[in-house]
Amino acid sequence: MGETVIPLTDLRAAASLPPVPEHAGPPAGRVVDRLGRPLVDLRISVTDRCNFRCSYCMPKEVFDRDYRFLPQPDLLTFEEITRVARLFVAQGVRKLRLTGGEPTLRKGLETLVSMLAALRTPGGHPLDLTLTTNGSLLERKAAPLAAAGLRRITVSLDALDDAVFRRMNDVDFPVADVLRGIDAALAAGLAPVKVNMVVKRGTNDHEIVPMARHMRERYGPRVVLRFIEYMDVGATNGWRMDQVLPSAEVRARLDAAFGLEPLPAAAEGETAERWRYRDGAGEVGFISSVTQAFCGDCNRARLSTEGKLFLCLFASRGHDLRALLRGGYDDDRIAAAIGLLWSGRDDRYSELRGRAEAAPGSGERRVEMHYIGG
């Protein structure tokens, strides 16, 4: 018999009940971790399902028709998501990103967007509400999402060549449909659209320059193309270091083709290093979590679709906020629990990658990307 793969069932159980103070006052509005990093960005997975089977995220041999995704009652309701998001905002979060799986598969997503768009910071300011999608449903979803209050959108697109793209998504989905989705997002006022391309050496690295040429010539500054180093997230994608194409090499190819010059960071904790074309045709970004770790100013927390909080993309254990939401705790106590979790955080996996201390200490496998978003 072949090896039996049990990818996530045990991982979903690998979550502890957060400590909750007996008495808690109102949130202070800002919390920092043990390395001085503030909590600013919350990424919320709204579904663990996806209609693509990209090898670096949800390989078909693992996530086949027999794979058991989370049942609907296990998922956080829109009301629960909005409540916990409001408590994170009270602790300093200013940016919410909806992810998946593929978030546009969640029925009624526009309703959730409108609920989150109504939230305000303690100072009365709207949040930076964004969404990451594979673009498969974007052509018909962009306008209603924008009308509901979505402010920005990021589209994952790993190749411009249709044959390469179909092989990478592994469900024979055409690239033309994603490109129409980008057009729809721009028409709906979600500019600039960010387009993320995960670069895997020997698979799609020959698409780097054609992708950049297409985006700059068709869209100019309305689309920001970002190149992401192939990362060792989870345990199902068979990651190898020799498949990583360093951002420095990607940037060199683009500089030779078009000419680039550096730009300053747009915000504290920004993951992408920004560059612009010298001829003014827009900008590109490079996310280099393998070769140039950015743990030092990481200000992001991640909430799984059934309410497990992860403090690092490479974590192996979460914290069960759903149990608090459904356990009768009041808002101040849940907010205090969130603050305690963040203030005890010292994660910096990418900086320690390759050393013994970088591996999960308990031997547990790391959380999968589709489960908490990228």
Side-chain angles (χ1 to χ4, degrees):
M1 293 179 62
E3 181 182 359
T4 300
V5 178
I6 308 175
L8 285 178
T9 303
D10 291 342
L11 176 62
R12 289 170 181 160
S16 56
L17 188 68
V20 183
E22 282 296 324
H23 305 283
R30 175 180 166 85
V31 61
V32 298
D33 69 10
R34 293 171 62 183
L35 301 179
R37 299 169 295 189
L39 174 59
V40 175
D41 185 329
L42 178 64
R43 304 190 172 195
I44 304 170
S45 175
V46 297
T47 179
D48 61 338
R49 300 170 186 265
C50 186
N51 52 350
F52 284 9
R53 288 296 179 267
C54 304
S55 62
Y56 60 80
C57 184
M58 294 182 70
K60 188 179 288 184
E61 60 270 22
V62 174
F63 300 91
D64 58 17
R65 64 179 59 189
D66 296 323
Y67 181 79
R68 288 176 294 176
F69 290 96
L70 290 165
Q72 186 69 28
D74 285 1
L75 309 187
L76 293 184
T77 66
F78 290 170
E79 290 76 15
E80 288 171 330
I81 291 172
T82 303
R83 181 187 178 197
V84 75
R86 176 166 48 80
L87 300 180
F88 271 91
V89 170
Q91 289 288 29
V93 161
R94 298 296 177 263
K95 177 179 178 181
L96 301 176
R97 177 176 295 279
L98 300 180
T99 70
E102 171 47 45
T104 59
L105 294 179
R106 181 76 183 258
K107 186 180 294 187
L109 182 65
E110 297 84 357
T111 299
L112 175 62
V113 167
S114 67
M115 294 166 70
L116 295 175
L119 296 178
R120 293 293 183 269
T121 69
H125 302 291
L127 302 175
D128 184 9
L129 181 57
T130 73
L131 178 143
T132 296
T133 174
N134 62 24
S136 59
L137 302 177
L138 190 55
E139 185 176 11
R140 59 185 173 89
K141 288 280 191 178
L145 286 170
L150 190 70
R151 299 185 67 186
R152 294 189 296 107
I153 201 159
T154 297
V155 179
S156 299
L157 180 62
D158 295 331
L160 188 64
D161 180 89
D162 190 61
V164 175
F165 182 67
R166 288 174 188 258
R167 283 198 302 271
M168 292 193 72
N169 66 57
D170 208 16
V171 293
D172 205 34
F173 194 88
V175 71
D177 287 9
V178 178
L179 295 176
R180 284 197 295 270
I182 294 172
D183 290 339
L186 292 170
L190 295 171
V193 171
K194 291 181 179 177
V195 174
N196 284 350
M197 177 179 174
V198 173
V199 180
K200 191 174 179 181
R201 189 192 294 272
T203 298
N204 66 336
D205 55 307
H206 62 288
E207 285 283 282
I208 292 168
V209 171
M211 179 78 83
R213 179 175 290 111
H214 176 84
M215 295 299 169
R216 61 182 251 118
E217 292 180 358
R218 179 172 175 82
Y219 301 113
R222 296 184 300 155
V223 167
V224 177
L225 179 59
R226 306 192 304 177
F227 297 91
I228 303 176
E229 291 179 342
Y230 175 45
M231 292 184 289
D232 52 332
V233 179
T236 62
N237 65 5
W239 182 88
R240 300 199 318 264
M241 185 66 192
D242 63 1
Q243 294 174 324
V244 177
L245 186 70
S247 292
E249 293 187 36
V250 179
R251 188 167 58 249
R253 295 189 195 184
L254 296 177
D255 190 30
F258 309 112
L260 296 176
E261 57 188 18
L263 285 171
E268 182 182 2
E270 186 174 44
T271 58
E273 186 181 49
R274 300 171 62 217
W275 291 68
R276 67 183 169 200
Y277 297 112
R278 290 197 183 98
D279 63 3
E283 70 174 81
V284 292
F286 303 93
I287 299 176
S288 315
S289 67
V290 176
T291 62
Q292 290 180 281
F294 39 78
C295 300
D297 56 2
C298 177
N299 54 24
R300 294 170 293 283
R302 292 172 169 85
L303 187 69
S304 77
T305 187
E306 97 272 40
K308 305 292 174 35
L309 177 66
F310 292 85
L311 302 180
C312 177
L313 179 60
F314 301 95
S316 59
R317 179 170 290 271
H319 307 275
D320 190 0
L321 295 187
R322 187 185 65 186
L324 305 187
L325 293 170
R326 297 181 181 179
Y329 293 91
D330 64 34
D331 285 356
D332 285 349
R333 292 182 71 192
I334 297 176
I338 292 169
L340 286 174
L341 290 173
W342 188 265
S343 63
R345 173 186 186 245
D346 61 1
D347 302 83
R348 54 191 185 104
Y349 173 87
S350 292
E351 287 184 352
L352 301 175
R353 181 188 282 108
R355 306 179 194 174
E357 64 265 38
S362 63
E364 294 174 311
R365 56 194 300 154
R366 293 191 300 273
V367 65
E368 297 290 335
M369 182 181 290
H370 89 282
Y371 179 57
I372 57 168

